[in-house]
Amino acid sequence: MSWAGSQITPKKKRTQRHPPAPAGGAPPAAPAATPAAEVARGGEEGGGYLSREELAKFVAYGFVPLTGVVDAATNARIIESADRVHSEGDAGNNMIHAVPELRGVLGRARVKAALRTVLGAGYARHPHMYAHANDPGSKEQTVHKDSFFGFEGHRHHAPTWAMLLYYPQKTTIKLAATAVVPGSQYYATEGKTDGRHLHGDEKRAALQAWRTGEMQYECEAGSLLLMHYDLFHRGMANTDTARRWMFKFQFVRASPPTERDAGASPAWKDLTPDAHRHVVCEYVWRWLHGKVVEAAPGALPQARQGLHATTDDAQRVCSAYQMALFGGEAGRGELLAALYSESPEVVRAAKHAAAAALYQTRGTPAGAAFLRGLIEVAGDLDHDALAAASAAAAAADAFHWAWVEPEDAARAVAAMRALAAGRGAAHPSRPVAPRLRVPQGSGGAVVSASRGTYVIADPDHGEVKITSAAIGKGSLAPGCAVRYRWVPARSGAEARYLTGGVSRRASQVQRTGVTNAAAEAVLVLGAVAGGAADAALRARACGCVAQVLEVYEKRVPEINGAPARREQGEVLMAASLAGLRAAAGPRGPAEPALAQRLEGVVAAIAAQPLLPKRGARGPSTDQGLRYSLGLCMAAVLRAGSADAVAAVFRRLSALGRLGPGEAKDVRSALMCRVCHLTSNEQPW
C-alpha cells in the first residue's frame, strides 16, 4: 500500500449508454429442489475465520486485504464478460446475473471466512451491487461514505454491514487504486447527523483531527478488499491506458456474534496513533467475540465536556464511549439526555455509545434500567423524531436480546410495535421533560393555536408564528414548550422549523433516513424475533414483523414511482431485513405467519412495472422495492418450508425473470434472478 496525495479533484459523473434492460425469456424449468436445511445456512457453509491479526486490523483500520484469491483464468473470463456487458449498457444490480462467474468469487473459502469473521455465520448478500468500470482519463471522486442506496440510514460502529471490492486485474496507483481512510468508519463530518462527504479544507482538517490519512490499495490480480460499510473512501483517477474493473458487493449481518475466545486485547496503540479510537476498537473487538469490555474507572466530568464542547468527532466519540463503558449509571443517564441535543453530532455520538452501554450492561439490572430509558426516548416520536429514531437504532445495534429479561423484552416489543406503526407514547403535546438536560436554544411556550398556525411567546424574539407544515406529525397544545431553529428559505426569507417540543421532521429529508424511527423499530423487532430466549416472546415479535410487512405489502403499488412515499419504501426495506434476521436468528426457525407475509411481499413487488426515473437524487423510482424483494427472498429461503420456497420460485419463474439456466438449485436460481426493477437507466 502507499499513501495518496492530498489534493483531490471531485469526480464528475460520466455520460452512460442506456440500452434496453435484459429481456426475460421463457419461464425456466424449476431446478432440483433444495432441502430447507440447505438453503437456511446462508453464510455458514464451510469453516475458518480471519486470523487474529487480520481481524484486529479490520477493527482498527476498517478494512482487510484478501490477496490473490481468484485464479488468472477466472479473472480473464470475468473481465471479458464484463467488457461485453458494459458495451451494451449499465447492468447495475444485474451484473451478477450477466457475469455468473462472479458468484464463484463470492463462494471462495477465503472470502467466506472473512465475511463470517466480520458479519457472523448466516450473513447475507444484499441485493445491491455495482461494477465500476474506471476508464482512462477518469477523475477522482470526493472522499465519501456510501449512502444506503439513496437512503440516508443510521450508521453502525459494530460491523453489521460490509462492502467487498473485487479487482480482477493487477491494480496500481496509475490504474486507479481505490483510496481508503483508515479508522474513519467511526467518525463523520460536522454539521449533519450523517456527514458522509469530505471536501477540500474540511477534509484536511478532519483527517488531521482523526490522526489518519488516505491510502491507496494496490493489489495483485484476483484480490479483494473487505471494508466496513461506513469507511470513508473514493475512486481515484485512471492515468493508465487500460480500463480498471472493480466489482462492489454488499453484505449484511443476520445474527448476533457468538461467544468465542477473544484472548488478550490487541495493542491498539501499535495499530493506530489515534488514541481516541482505542476505546471504540476495544468495544468492537469484544463485541465481535461476544464479550464485554473490562470495567475501568472513568472521569465523567471530562467525558461530558468532551462530548458537548468539541468540534473534533474523534474526541466526541471517545468521550461518549467512556461515558457508556466506564461512567456508570450517571454516564448512561447523560447519554440518554444527549439524544435530545440540538447538535446532530452529539446525537450521533450518543447513539453509538448508547448501543455500547446497552450491550455492556446486558443481563444486569443496570442494563434493564437503561433499556427502559431507551424505550422511553424511542416513545418520544412526536416530541423529537431524531431522538426517538436514535434510541431505536441503539437498541437495534445491541443485537444481543438473549440476555434481556422477558418482561423488559416484552416492553420493548410493545414500544417498537407502536413506533413501527408511526406512533410514539401517549404524550404528543407534553412539555419538555424537566428531568432531561436539554441544551438551550430559541424557543418559548405556545400561546395559541388557530387553523394550523401556532403563536409562541419567545423571550428573545417576541411573538413567533410557526405553521403546522413545519411540525410534521402531531400537534401543539397551549403551554407546550418548544424550540426551533432559523434557516434560510429558498425565497431568501427566513423560515422557522421546530427542533424540539414536537418533531424534527420539518422537510422531506428529515422525514426519511436518520429520523425514520419506524425503520429502526422494526429492526429491533427482527432482532428480538431471532434472538430472544423466550419462545413466546420470539413468536410475538415475529408476529409484529409480519404485521408491518402486511401493512406495507398493501402499499407497494403506491410506493412504486412516488418519491413522496420514499420513507415508506425505507420502512419496507427495513422490515424485509428484519424478516431475514428473524429467520436467521440463533433460536430456531421463524413463525410460519412470517414466511407467508414474506411471500406476499415478494408477490406484490414482483407484479410492479419498471417506471421511468424521475430526477437524479435519492433512490431509484421504485423507492427501494427492488431491495425489499431481494431481502424477502433471502428470508423465505431461510424461514419458509419447502412449499413456501417453491411458491416463491413459481411466482418469479412465471415472470421469466430468473437467473441463468445453469443454476443447480432453487436457492441459486432465486438469488441470482434478474431484477426486473433494474435497468440501464436505473442501475441502482
Side-chain angles (χ1 to χ4, degrees):
M1 297 186 185
S2 56
W3 293 97
S6 58
Q7 299 299 319
I8 296 174
T9 303
K11 186 172 183 178
K12 299 178 181 178
K13 284 191 174 181
R14 289 177 291 167
T15 302
Q16 299 173 333
R17 292 163 288 185
H18 304 305
T34 306
E38 292 294 316
V39 301
R41 284 203 304 258
E44 296 179 18
E45 296 94 332
Y49 293 90
L50 290 175
S51 70
R52 172 185 168 85
E53 292 73 20
E54 288 173 321
L55 181 58
K57 289 179 179 178
F58 179 87
V59 171
Y61 304 150
F63 61 90
V64 61
L66 307 175
T67 305
V69 173
V70 185
D71 59 275
T74 302
N75 291 328
R77 288 194 298 270
I78 288 175
I79 291 173
E80 181 182 2
S81 298
D83 282 338
R84 172 180 48 79
V85 173
H86 186 69
S87 69
E88 300 169 355
D90 194 341
N93 297 308
N94 284 326
M95 182 61 82
I96 199 166
H97 158 76
V99 185
E101 284 185 302
L102 288 171
R103 301 201 300 272
V105 173
L106 304 182
R108 301 287 171 118
R110 174 75 165 142
V111 173
K112 293 197 295 184
L115 289 167
R116 185 185 303 110
T117 306
V118 169
L119 295 177
Y123 65 83
R125 183 176 68 84
H126 191 277
H128 174 63
M129 71 151 296
Y130 202 75
H132 289 270
N134 193 327
D135 288 324
S138 66
K139 302 298 183 182
E140 301 149 327
Q141 290 179 327
T142 299
V143 178
H144 66 280
K145 300 185 181 195
D146 278 21
S147 72
F148 291 89
F149 343 109
F151 295 107
E152 300 294 333
H154 281 266
R155 305 281 173 179
H156 318 272
H157 282 176
T160 57
W161 292 69
M163 278 192 288
L164 185 69
L165 313 182
Y166 161 54
Y167 301 85
Q169 71 281 295
K170 181 177 181 179
T171 303
T172 63
I173 289 180
K174 286 188 64 178
L175 198 61
T178 302
V180 294
V181 181
S184 60
Q185 70 272 23
Y186 302 127
Y187 307 137
T189 59
E190 301 297 299
K192 295 181 179 179
T193 306
D194 186 29
R196 62 181 191 88
H197 289 93
L198 288 170
H199 306 270
D201 292 341
E202 179 188 32
K203 187 199 81 169
R204 284 186 286 273
L207 299 193
Q208 182 178 6
W210 303 343
R211 290 84 175 169
T212 187
E214 286 190 272
M215 299 177 71
Q216 284 185 257
Y217 177 53
E218 295 185 279
C219 62
E220 296 300 317
S223 298
L224 298 97
L225 187 68
L226 179 61
M227 286 173 39
H228 190 294
Y229 192 82
D230 299 337
L231 188 74
F232 276 100
H233 64 282
R234 63 169 169 160
M236 299 300 288
N238 185 347
T239 60
D240 210 317
T241 58
R243 170 179 292 161
R244 187 225 63 181
W245 277 108
M246 182 272 281
F247 298 90
K248 178 182 73 175
F249 304 93
Q250 301 184 355
F251 295 85
V252 294
R253 176 177 288 276
S255 59
T258 55
E259 187 169 346
R260 56 194 181 98
D261 182 24
S265 297
W268 303 117
K269 62 182 178 61
D270 295 335
L271 288 170
T272 169
D274 177 15
H276 291 127
R277 206 186 314 163
H278 298 169
V279 65
V280 188
C281 290
E282 180 66 11
Y283 166 71
V284 173
W285 175 264
R286 293 284 173 175
W287 186 90
L288 282 168
H289 291 84
K291 307 286 187 180
V292 297
V293 177
E294 295 181 4
L300 190 58
Q302 291 89 332
R304 182 189 301 117
Q305 182 178 6
L307 174 63
H308 290 282
T310 181
T311 57
D312 178 352
D313 203 40
Q315 182 180 343
R316 184 186 297 119
V317 168
C318 176
S319 298
Y321 270 84
Q322 288 175 338
M323 295 165 75
L325 302 177
F326 314 127
E329 182 179 0
R332 292 188 293 273
E334 290 279 351
L335 291 176
L336 290 176
L339 293 174
Y340 287 94
S341 172
E342 291 183 344
S343 163
E345 304 93 339
V346 171
V347 176
R348 181 179 67 217
K351 174 199 68 177
H352 290 305
L358 184 59
Y359 175 75
Q360 180 75 5
T361 55
R362 62 184 192 175
T364 68
F370 188 64
L371 175 60
R372 289 192 289 270
L374 283 175
I375 291 172
E376 185 173 346
V377 176
D380 253 354
L381 176 65
D382 295 318
H383 173 78
D384 193 320
L386 180 57
S390 299
D397 272 6
F399 242 108
H400 282 263
W401 287 87
W403 296 86
V404 180
E405 290 294 328
E407 180 181 352
D408 293 315
R411 185 181 290 112
V413 167
M416 296 304 156
R417 178 183 179 184
L419 197 57
R423 302 191 306 272
H427 45 245
S429 301
R430 74 175 190 181
V432 175
R435 64 178 179 79
L436 295 172
R437 185 180 59 80
V438 181
Q440 298 298 313
S442 296
V446 176
V447 177
S448 65
S450 175
R451 296 182 179 180
T453 299
Y454 300 97
V455 178
I456 299 170
D458 186 326
D460 299 321
H461 302 95
E463 285 194 347
V464 174
K465 293 182 179 180
I466 294 181
T467 65
S468 58
I471 296 174
K473 184 179 178 181
S475 59
L476 290 170
C480 179
V482 297
R483 300 185 311 282
Y484 47 84
R485 60 187 171 91
W486 302 73
V487 298
R490 291 184 178 180
S491 62
E494 284 190 317
R496 305 175 185 90
Y497 291 117
L498 295 178
T499 61
V502 174
S503 174
R504 273 192 169 93
R505 292 181 290 176
S507 68
Q508 176 66 21
V509 173
Q510 290 174 313
R511 284 197 298 270
T512 58
V514 293
T515 55
N516 198 334
E520 297 303 321
V522 74
L523 289 174
V524 175
L525 293 171
V528 176
D534 183 73
L537 185 61
R538 291 199 305 274
R540 183 179 174 187
C542 254
C544 292
V545 175
Q547 289 174 357
V548 175
L549 288 168
E550 183 176 18
V551 168
Y552 285 91
E553 173 192 335
K554 298 174 182 177
R555 298 179 183 176
V556 163
E558 303 171 5
I559 294 172
N560 192 22
R565 304 281 184 177
R566 178 178 168 185
E567 64 268 30
Q568 295 186 22
E570 182 181 354
V571 177
L572 178 55
M573 187 166 62
S576 304
L577 178 56
L580 174 62
R581 288 177 173 170
R587 297 288 175 173
E591 292 294 299
L594 178 60
Q596 294 172 4
R597 290 275 58 85
L598 292 165
E599 182 185 342
V601 174
V602 168
I605 299 177
Q608 292 304 300
L610 174 66
L611 299 176
K613 187 171 178 62
R614 300 175 183 176
R617 298 187 63 186
S620 293
T621 301
D622 62 23
Q623 312 306 323
L625 291 180
R626 64 189 66 185
Y627 301 126
S628 298
L629 175 60
L631 292 169
C632 281
M633 287 194 298
V636 169
L637 288 170
R638 303 188 191 203
S641 63
D643 289 342
V645 173
V648 169
F649 181 88
R650 286 194 301 271
R651 176 81 62 178
L652 298 173
S653 177
L655 299 173
R657 293 170 179 150
L658 288 177
E662 73 271 12
K664 298 297 188 297
D665 53 46
V666 173
R667 176 185 177 82
S668 298
L670 285 175
M671 296 315 295
C672 297
R673 160 188 176 274
V674 176
C675 177
H676 70 292
L677 295 174
T678 294
S679 72
N680 49 22
E681 293 184 351
Q682 299 189 64
W684 282 56

